[in-house]
Amino acid sequence: MIEIDAITKRYDDNTVVDNVSMVIEPRTVTVIVGTSGSGKTTLLRMINRLVEPTSGVIKLDGEDNRAIPGHELRRRIGYAIQGHGLFPHRTVAQNIATVPTLLGWEKSRIDAKVDELLTLFQLDPKTFGPRYPHELSGGQQQRVGVARALAAEPNVLLMDEPYGALDPIIRAKAQEDLLAIQKHFGTTIVLVTHDMNEAFHLADKIAVMDKGRVLQYGPPEELVRAPETPFVETLIGDTERPFRLLAIAKAGAAAEPGEAEGEPIREDKTQQEALADLLWTGRSALPVVSASGAPMGRVTLDALLKRATRPSGSAR
Amino acid sequence: MKAWLPTILRGLLFVVLVAFLLSPTTFEPVLKPLVDTNAPAIYNQGSLLDLTLQHLSTVFIATLVAIVVAILLAILVTRPFGAEFLPLSRSLVNIGQTFPPVAVLALAVPAVGFGEKPTLIALFLYGLLPIFENTLTALTNLPRSVMEAARGSGMTNFQRLMKVELPLSLPIIVAGIRLSVTIGLATATIGSTVAARTLGEVIIAGLQSNNLAFILQGGLIVGALAVLIYDGLSAVEKMLTRRLGIA
Ligand SMILES: Nc1ncnc2c1ncn2[C@@H]1O[C@H](COP(=O)(O)OP(=O)(O)OP(=O)(O)O)[C@@H](O)[C@H]1O
Ligand SMILES: [Mg+2]
């Protein structure tokens, strides 16, 4: 758990992060969004003390993050950034081994960890381990950057626009990988992004920042249904709202008893994908199946349209 | 075919140089036409091999000290606590460079006497700037995201310096050393004027007795050494750069 309590950062007279308080639950993904210069990176870097706050306290699992020296704190917290920051003079394996080496792990344990992570990120350890970063594609470098951040099995992983430079296909893949890995290790992830689709796809909770303040902090659905300020509404996008609602709910949740024709959709796909499938194939209903293929009823076009309609009680 | 031609030429140059130093008299017929009938065509006031080794060792020692001092200095002024010395150290080293070598020698002699010492001092001072400048450039232009990652992964200041900053700066530092050595090889010849044993002796002897062959062989040996060492260090630098994937 990360407790951010009345954190403020000032550079001279410029207040960059302004009295921010929020609690990040363990084993969740929190995404910070906001305009450029709103203080996202600064807030993130105060968690691992790359930036020291002007005032306020940040506690990790109840312990003040200033209780131990900064470099020791940072060995416990994974940190992945845009442009990956891989060490160009070290091989992929050595890069991933950075923090475990600093922590003095035994060689056999380090090697096993490197192999495990490379395999997890679908990079063959024999092929990629001995390569240098410049011998990888951008997407591969990014994966190695995240693998390096995860190598010492941190409870907390901070990510600053990790996928900013990736093409949409690789990016989608990287996001899937991240969610799988988050489940696998139970890591608490705090991620900064400019991409609202990415935010809605990954987040358990989203924090919207503007001019150093957190305007709203809550589950994605809440942001769509009840945006607290016009800025939040604008950020989510007027024309995107119905699709955002569908994008954060699973097809299984919209399933009702009944039969339908044609190619089924898996329950863990989003309702947005279900809608796209219906529209594209010109059907009015499609069968839903579980991950193992067992029938779970059907999703109808009508049901999806209802779910995408403005919730009653919402302002506009 | 073109790619290995320079390598062959260098190999050839090396072989000729070694052959000449081991057995100068073999080359007498080549140099004979340059001198009067009675004058010696090959330097006869000492062993050329000895002088060459002396010359090299003087340059080597001076450069070694310059490397250590210049790199330490550059590290010092790029740390937060040394930042205020950055402009000062820069101008000091620059001033050192504007002094002509002869002036440094002339000033050093009264202080430390004739012989190798004033030459070492001059070479050391001349070797400092290129290495210092290059190390400084390298240390202040490291890729931001890499430095960020180094801090973010929990390296201490010292670990960052040793594991990331210096290794990444190495190719540029080597380029500075290369420059420094080349300057040193040439400057060392002047050391003979204050009685240091370098290849300058051969050239000066040639000038004094109007012996073109002496001047030529002294100059050519220094030139050949400079070319070979320069190329050698260039190769090291290229290798390091390629390792870093910068090239
Ligand atoms: N070291 C610093 N000194 C002075 N001002 C700084 C410093 N670091 C950041 N700032 C300022 O703080 C503000 C917030 O910066 P920050 O990097 O946190 O923004 P951000 O939300 O991450 O923006 P972006 O989306 O562009 O990455 C900016 O106006 C920036 O200029
Ligand atoms: Mg930022």
Side-chain angles (χ1 to χ4, degrees), chain B residues 32-101:
Chain B
K32 200 71 194 167
L34 296 174
V35 290
D36 297 340
T37 0
N38 299 328
I42 300 296
Y43 187 64
N44 54 2
Q45 295 159 31
S47 150
L48 280 174
L49 182 62
D50 267 4
L51 280 178
T52 306
L53 293 178
Q54 273 289 331
H55 191 107
L56 282 176
S57 95
T58 304
V59 174
F60 180 77
I61 293 169
T63 309
L64 208 64
V65 181
I67 291 173
V68 173
V69 174
I71 293 181
L72 282 180
L73 208 62
I75 290 173
L76 214 68
V77 299
T78 48
R79 299 309 100 182
F81 56 83
E84 47 187 308
F85 297 107
L86 184 59
L88 177 72
S89 58
R90 251 201 182 122
S91 43
L92 272 183
V93 182
N94 271 317
I95 290 170
Q97 206 71 6
T98 55
F99 260 62

Side-chain angles (χ1 to χ4, degrees), chain A residues 86 92 95-96 123 136 140-148:
Chain A
L86 293 177
V92 165
N95 262 287
I96 296 176
L123 297 166
L136 305 182
Q140 291 165 343
Q141 289 172 343
Q142 200 58 49
R143 274 182 272 169
V144 174
V146 178
R148 177 176 64 181

Side-chain angles (χ1 to χ4, degrees), chain A residues 231-254:
Chain A
F231 179 82
V232 176
E233 216 172 321
T234 314
L235 202 66
I236 288 164
D238 294 346
T239 57
E240 296 285 338
R241 281 181 290 189
F243 307 111
R244 298 243 186 265
L245 281 179
L246 294 178
I248 54 187
K250 299 292 176 222

Side-chain angles (χ1 to χ4, degrees), chain A residues 35-42 45 82 160-161 192 194:
Chain A
T35 43
S36 190
S38 56
K40 307 181 293 294
T41 297
T42 309
R45 287 159 57 98
Q82 178 172 4
D160 198 348
E161 298 182 45
V192 170
H194 277 125

Side-chain angles (χ1 to χ4, degrees), chain A:
Chain A
M1 183 156 73
I2 307 171
E3 294 163 273
I4 299 173
D5 187 12
I7 278 285
T8 295
K9 177 68 188 179
R10 265 191 287 277
Y11 289 108
D12 301 324
D13 284 341
N14 185 14
T15 306
V16 168
V17 172
D18 192 359
N19 194 23
V20 167
S21 296
M22 56 197 272
V23 175
I24 294 165
E25 298 295 333
R27 294 169 223 286
T28 61
V29 181
T30 297
V31 177
I32 305 176
V33 295
T35 43
S36 190
S38 56
K40 307 181 293 294
T41 297
T42 309
L43 180 62
L44 194 74
R45 287 159 57 98
M46 284 193 282
I47 297 175
N48 68 358
R49 279 176 57 202
L50 282 173
V51 172
E52 298 286 354
T54 309
S55 65
V57 183
I58 295 179
K59 286 185 188 163
L60 299 169
D61 293 328
E63 192 190 15
D64 191 326
N65 72 350
R66 288 167 299 189
I68 54 170
H71 63 268
E72 278 176 38
L73 176 77
R74 289 189 278 275
R75 288 174 195 176
R76 294 189 193 171
I77 298 178
Y79 185 53
I81 48 178
Q82 178 172 4
H84 61 73
L86 293 177
F87 302 128
H89 60 301
R90 296 186 173 192
T91 63
V92 165
Q94 288 167 340
N95 262 287
I96 296 176
T98 303
V99 184
T101 307
L102 291 174
L103 291 170
W105 286 16
E106 271 177 31
K107 195 175 174 315
S108 56
R109 186 172 166 208
I110 295 180
D111 291 346
K113 192 72 205 178
V114 170
D115 277 15
E116 179 196 341
L117 281 166
L118 280 173
T119 312
L120 209 58
F121 282 94
Q122 288 144 38
L123 297 166
D124 177 40
K126 284 214 173 48
T127 315
F128 289 95
R131 286 209 194 161
Y132 285 89
H134 69 97
E135 296 168 321
L136 305 182
S137 75
Q140 291 165 343
Q141 289 172 343
Q142 200 58 49
R143 274 182 272 169
V144 174
V146 178
R148 177 176 64 181
L150 286 168
E153 300 175 5
N155 287 329
V156 174
L157 174 61
L158 309 177
M159 308 180 87
D160 198 348
E161 298 182 45
Y163 306 130
L166 301 186
D167 71 64
I169 293 175
I170 304 279
R171 181 185 264 236
K173 177 80 182 62
Q175 290 166 357
E176 291 317 314
D177 284 352
L178 185 70
L179 287 177
I181 280 158
Q182 194 259 339
K183 286 216 178 63
H184 183 95
F185 291 114
T187 317
T188 307
I189 296 179
V190 187
L191 181 142
V192 170
T193 182
H194 277 125
D195 179 347
M196 289 307 290
N197 289 325
E198 182 165 273
F200 274 85
H201 181 48
L202 296 177
D204 293 307
K205 273 187 167 185
I206 296 180
V208 180
M209 284 190 79
D210 186 33
K211 303 193 184 81
R213 297 178 158 273
V214 170
L215 299 181
Q216 188 167 5
Y217 174 50
E221 195 186 324
E222 194 178 297
L223 265 68
V224 183
R225 290 190 189 282
E228 275 174 23
T229 72
F231 179 82
V232 176
E233 216 172 321
T234 314
L235 202 66
I236 288 164
D238 294 346
T239 57
E240 296 285 338
R241 281 181 290 189
F243 307 111
R244 298 243 186 265
L245 281 179
L246 294 178
I248 54 187
K250 299 292 176 222
E256 56 190 62
E259 301 282 318
E261 292 296 308
E263 196 63 20
I265 188 164
R266 271 174 43 176
E267 56 142 342
D268 58 347
K269 294 287 180 188
T270 66
Q271 293 177 4
Q272 188 179 24
E273 284 167 297
L275 177 65
D277 206 353
L278 283 170
L279 294 175
W280 192 247
T281 55
R283 292 180 281 175
S284 61
L286 81 175
V288 183
V289 296
S290 71
S292 56
M296 294 180 64
R298 61 175 188 169
V299 179
T300 65
L301 194 55
D302 282 347
L304 289 180
L305 293 183
K306 267 201 200 79
R307 283 170 180 272
T309 311
R310 181 182 70 194
S312 53
S314 150
R316 274 174 284 169

Side-chain angles (χ1 to χ4, degrees), chain B:
Chain B
M1 174 164 166
K2 286 223 178 72
W4 46 257
L5 194 63
T7 317
I8 290 197
L9 285 178
R10 272 176 216 132
L12 217 61
L13 180 63
F14 181 71
V15 171
V16 172
L17 178 65
V18 171
F20 183 73
L21 291 176
L22 291 178
S23 163
T25 42
T26 324
F27 292 79
E28 202 167 355
V30 188
L31 292 164
K32 200 71 194 167
L34 296 174
V35 290
D36 297 340
T37 0
N38 299 328
I42 300 296
Y43 187 64
N44 54 2
Q45 295 159 31
S47 150
L48 280 174
L49 182 62
D50 267 4
L51 280 178
T52 306
L53 293 178
Q54 273 289 331
H55 191 107
L56 282 176
S57 95
T58 304
V59 174
F60 180 77
I61 293 169
T63 309
L64 208 64
V65 181
I67 291 173
V68 173
V69 174
I71 293 181
L72 282 180
L73 208 62
I75 290 173
L76 214 68
V77 299
T78 48
R79 299 309 100 182
F81 56 83
E84 47 187 308
F85 297 107
L86 184 59
L88 177 72
S89 58
R90 251 201 182 122
S91 43
L92 272 183
V93 182
N94 271 317
I95 290 170
Q97 206 71 6
T98 55
F99 260 62
V102 180
V104 178
L105 284 176
L107 286 175
V109 168
V112 296
F114 281 92
E116 210 189 347
K117 275 190 205 152
T119 314
L120 281 174
I121 291 174
L123 290 188
F124 162 71
L125 288 177
Y126 275 81
L128 270 181
L129 184 70
I131 306 175
F132 177 74
E133 279 281 25
N134 277 30
T135 311
L136 207 58
T137 308
L139 287 178
T140 48
N141 288 296
L142 293 165
R144 245 184 85 161
S145 65
V146 173
M147 293 311 298
E148 181 97 319
R151 268 190 83 202
S153 61
M155 291 187 187
T156 60
N157 292 343
F158 186 68
Q159 285 169 333
R160 240 165 34 235
L161 176 68
M162 300 309 284
K163 288 168 178 256
V164 181
E165 297 180 41
L166 285 180
L168 285 183
S169 303
L170 209 53
I172 303 179
I173 296 177
V174 171
I177 295 173
R178 177 166 55 103
L179 220 62
S180 175
V181 171
T182 323
I183 297 173
L185 280 169
T187 312
T189 50
I190 305 171
S192 308
T193 57
V194 294
R197 299 216 57 210
T198 73
L199 285 164
E201 252 182 64
V202 183
I203 298 171
I204 290 170
L207 289 170
Q208 280 167 350
S209 59
N210 201 16
N211 184 326
L212 187 57
F214 281 11
I215 300 174
L216 207 63
Q217 58 199 267
L220 284 179
I221 294 173
V222 175
L225 289 175
V227 168
L228 288 172
I229 293 176
Y230 187 93
D231 283 359
L233 287 172
S234 293
V236 171
E237 192 190 320
K238 260 210 202 87
M239 197 189 72
L240 288 169
T241 313
R242 211 171 22 230
R243 260 283 291 281
L244 297 184
I246 300 163

